[in-house]
Amino acid sequence: MADEKVGTPKKLEELLDELVEEMKKAKTPEELEVLERNAEIIEDLIEAYEGDKDLEKIPLLMEKVGDMVEDILEPLKELLNELYSPERVQAMGRSVAEFYKNLVEAGMDKEAALELTKEYMDSINPGKKLMEMLANLGRGGFGNINIPGTPLGPGGNKRKEE
């Protein structure tokens, strides 16, 4: 089976070469058009074969990437468990309730106090902050800090046009 895979692109390339030679000898535009379509089909087959060779590399790549992802996720899980320990969540809840209570006691409208309390709750949520920072890191920044070069093109201020 391995020999068959090795021989296939060579045969396809030979067939493509033959088609090119026939195209040079074509007598009518229609004959040339048919030969060109056949050549395109052969080129597509060669590209498909090359793509299949890349697919064979995926398990090796996943094996390497899998270990890296596991090395990142395990400490992240531990951090999230620490950030959301029952004691911390309880303290956060008390802080949010106290914030809302102080706003209402100071005479603020309950609706406005609720909106401000939601904003406060978002601002003190460490897990949400962490996830936002990780998302920004994937876009080439870390919060308000830009990491130069990641998805940016030469010059550092605009994405490279494709």
Side-chain angles (χ1 to χ4, degrees):
M1 189 159 125
D3 292 335
E4 184 179 308
K5 281 188 176 181
V6 171
T8 302
K10 185 174 182 182
K11 288 180 183 179
L12 288 173
E13 298 224 5
E14 288 171 0
L15 183 57
L16 185 59
D17 290 340
E18 288 174 20
L19 283 171
V20 169
E21 287 302 314
E22 288 180 37
M23 288 167 64
K24 290 177 185 176
K25 298 175 188 173
K27 293 181 173 93
T28 65
E30 293 80 19
E31 185 181 352
L32 181 60
E33 188 178 322
V34 169
L35 291 169
E36 284 176 345
R37 272 191 262 140
N38 289 341
E40 288 174 8
I41 292 169
I42 300 299
E43 286 173 343
D44 289 345
L45 288 171
I46 291 171
E47 286 179 28
Y49 174 78
E50 293 299 321
D52 287 346
K53 282 188 358 189
D54 290 341
L55 289 176
E56 293 170 2
K57 297 175 187 173
I58 289 176
L60 295 173
L61 181 63
M62 289 306 295
E63 191 174 303
K64 290 179 183 178
V65 172
D67 292 341
M68 288 177 11
V69 169
E70 197 171 305
D71 289 345
I72 292 169
L73 288 181
E74 192 58 38
L76 187 58
K77 249 195 298 188
E78 290 174 13
L79 177 61
L80 287 173
N81 284 338
E82 177 64 29
L83 290 174
Y84 289 110
S85 70
E87 297 82 21
R88 283 189 185 254
V89 171
Q90 193 174 34
M92 201 175 1
R94 279 194 303 271
S95 172
V96 170
E98 184 76 21
F99 182 82
Y100 176 78
K101 178 182 165 193
N102 288 341
L103 292 175
V104 172
E105 285 178 355
M108 185 176 276
D109 174 53
K110 287 186 177 187
E111 289 292 316
L114 183 60
E115 286 303 311
L116 283 175
T117 303
K118 286 178 183 178
E119 289 178 26
Y120 172 71
M121 196 166 53
D122 282 345
S123 73
I124 66 168
N125 185 339
K128 182 176 180 185
K129 289 274 190 213
L130 178 64
M131 297 312 283
E132 286 172 356
M133 287 191 306
L134 289 173
N136 284 335
L137 180 62
R139 288 190 291 266
F142 198 81
N144 291 331
I145 301 169
N146 283 329
I147 300 173
T150 313
L152 304 176
N157 34 353
K158 52 182 154 180
R159 292 187 184 276
K160 185 177 178 181
E161 296 295 321
E162 296 196 35

